[in-house]
Amino acid sequence: MRFLDRERAALTKLLPGLDDSLRAVPLMTLERPGSPGIGLFRDSGGPGLLAPASLQGRGATALDAVRVQRALGSRSPSLAVATTMHHFSMATLVGLSNAGEGLEWMLVQAVATENQLMASGFAEGRSGAGILSPSMSATPTPQGLRITGVKRPCSLARSMDLLTASVLVPREDGEGEELAVALVPAASEGLSVSGFWSSGFLAGAESDQVTLDGVLVPPDLMVRTACPPGARLDEVQTIGLVWFELLMTGSYLGAASGLVERVLLNDRVPEGERVALLVAAESAAASVEGLARRVDEGTPDESTLAESLYVRYGVQDALSRIVPRAVELLGGLNFMASDEVGYLAACTNGLALHPPSRSRMTGPLAAYLADGPLTVA
């Protein structure tokens, strides 16, 4: 079996035609603003990847999904990163539908059957804020909640059908507040999208600014988590974060794998060097797939979340060795003849920039290893 065959086979099985469509488009076209990649993903049924088959989704396992994201990352890092944010929102909704007794399952089914894309308005990307901290303010009204706030960067900003956002809402029993997930239709009055991402790297992810100015969200588009602000992570939040770390790590490993693949196909590179690079890349992939298998074995818990962070930071370290070596082996002519080598190399640094950063998690992980609860900074 050739390098990445397994991952591309998973992509072809679950999202037929997408790999062939992406391969037909030049990498730098897929990575520019206005990339066709997101539309191709939608057309292939990608939004329903994590929705259960019982709700008319693709029913992908965690192992399937991480292989799909690695395959996407090798073709278009922007698409892999952007769709991970959709999957993060979907995994959270699926977790809520499994844990609740409401109509959350109808939202999951609607996203899957109508191929709707969800952008994430969670606090991911806000300096000094926990990833689950409410990023929007909400004012109760008789018609629903009026939500105001700004999310930047917000991947899928220009292609989204829905924006998911964490907000604080009054508890139904009147005893304080609890976290809730609001689903805001992109066409809502008061929602606007404006430019933010000025870098040329990952520009195809549509990571721009989304502004909500008193947007009305009716009660049927609010999903309560029953988790008070500042509380220890509940089951649904844990599930969402594990999927985020798993798929984001797989996506950036995919971008690095795109570089490794170029080395493996270059007969001028000595066999020993090619095999050494292959071993390093597949060892990193094995750790990610091990985490995916654990997710598939049962509902992720606190220890699974801790393992997802160990794996993510370990892969970051592996990429810091793999990527420079791949660039060196490809040589100056490859670097000078095309933007692709330098672009893929630069993109892989993005994994270290997603929350929670290693520096912010040092204290929480040390406390967890001393038998304390795991908190996410």
Side-chain angles (χ1 to χ4, degrees):
M1 179 176 287
R2 298 179 67 87
F3 186 65
L4 293 177
D5 275 358
R6 180 180 54 198
E7 289 75 14
R8 288 169 180 159
L11 176 57
T12 298
K13 176 184 176 182
L14 288 160
L15 305 179
L18 181 55
D19 189 55
D20 289 339
S21 297
L22 293 174
R23 187 173 52 188
V25 182
L27 172 66
M28 301 313 294
T29 299
L30 290 169
E31 297 304 294
R32 290 200 293 261
S35 166
I38 293 172
L40 294 172
F41 174 81
R42 188 201 298 271
D43 293 344
S44 71
L49 182 69
L50 297 189
S54 61
L55 297 179
Q56 297 179 266
R58 299 304 168 101
T61 65
L63 184 59
D64 290 333
V66 80
R67 287 176 175 174
V68 165
Q69 292 307 109
R70 187 183 180 193
L72 289 183
S74 73
R75 299 293 191 201
S76 171
S78 287
L79 180 59
V81 170
T83 56
T84 290
M85 301 312 298
H86 166 87
H87 297 319
F88 170 45
S89 296
M90 176 61 90
T92 302
L93 274 183
V94 170
L96 287 167
S97 69
N98 291 336
E101 298 179 356
L103 301 179
E104 294 91 348
W105 65 270
M106 294 181 64
L107 297 173
V108 173
Q109 187 176 67
V111 169
T113 57
E114 298 173 20
N115 277 331
Q116 295 182 333
L117 287 169
M118 293 186 290
S120 171
F122 293 93
E124 194 265 349
R126 283 200 302 151
S127 178
I131 188 172
L132 298 174
S133 301
S135 56
M136 309 279 178
S137 62
T139 303
T141 73
Q143 296 77 34
L145 289 183
R146 290 279 181 184
I147 299 181
T148 297
V150 174
K151 177 59 168 67
R152 60 185 182 202
C154 182
S155 298
L156 298 172
R158 299 186 182 277
S159 294
M160 67 177 177
D161 299 290
L162 295 166
L163 174 73
T164 60
S166 56
V167 293
L168 284 178
V169 299
R171 288 175 54 92
E172 292 180 325
D173 60 10
E175 299 293 329
E177 296 181 309
E178 65 183 355
L179 287 169
V181 177
L183 281 81
V184 186
S188 298
E189 182 179 355
L191 185 152
S192 60
V193 178
S194 56
F196 174 76
W197 196 266
S198 57
S199 171
F201 296 104
L202 300 174
E206 299 182 350
S207 298
D208 284 318
Q209 175 174 313
V210 176
T211 303
L212 278 65
D213 184 9
V215 174
L216 178 64
V217 179
D220 59 349
L221 291 180
M222 295 292 303
V223 182
R224 295 174 180 269
T225 68
C227 183
R232 185 174 176 178
L233 291 172
D234 73 355
E235 181 180 298
V236 172
Q237 291 174 321
T238 299
I239 290 170
L241 282 174
V242 168
W243 278 97
F244 175 83
E245 297 299 335
L246 175 67
L247 298 185
M248 196 61 82
T249 302
S251 295
Y252 283 101
L253 178 60
S257 297
L259 270 179
V260 172
E261 183 176 39
R262 285 162 170 77
V263 175
L264 298 180
L265 294 175
N266 190 332
D267 291 338
R268 295 183 179 181
V269 177
E271 286 184 346
E273 296 284 8
R274 281 183 276 160
V275 170
L277 201 62
L278 172 68
V279 169
E282 291 301 87
S283 295
S287 69
V288 180
E289 291 201 352
L291 172 62
R293 287 186 170 91
R294 179 172 178 183
V295 172
D296 286 332
E297 288 173 355
T299 302
D301 57 14
E302 188 177 67
S303 66
T304 317
L305 178 56
E307 183 179 339
S308 75
L309 294 171
Y310 307 153
V311 169
R312 176 256 177 100
Y313 300 142
V315 171
Q316 280 179 208
D317 290 341
L319 296 188
S320 72
R321 299 185 296 271
I322 292 168
V323 171
R325 188 59 180 152
V327 172
E328 181 180 355
L329 291 171
L330 286 169
L333 288 179
N334 280 285
F335 188 87
M336 291 181 285
S338 169
D339 290 334
E340 293 186 1
V341 172
Y343 178 82
L344 289 172
C347 282
T348 59
N349 293 319
L351 180 57
L353 305 179
H354 287 280
S357 68
R358 184 174 358 208
S359 60
R360 289 180 62 86
M361 284 303 298
T362 298
L365 284 175
Y368 172 70
L369 293 173
D371 289 334
L374 179 62
T375 59
V376 176

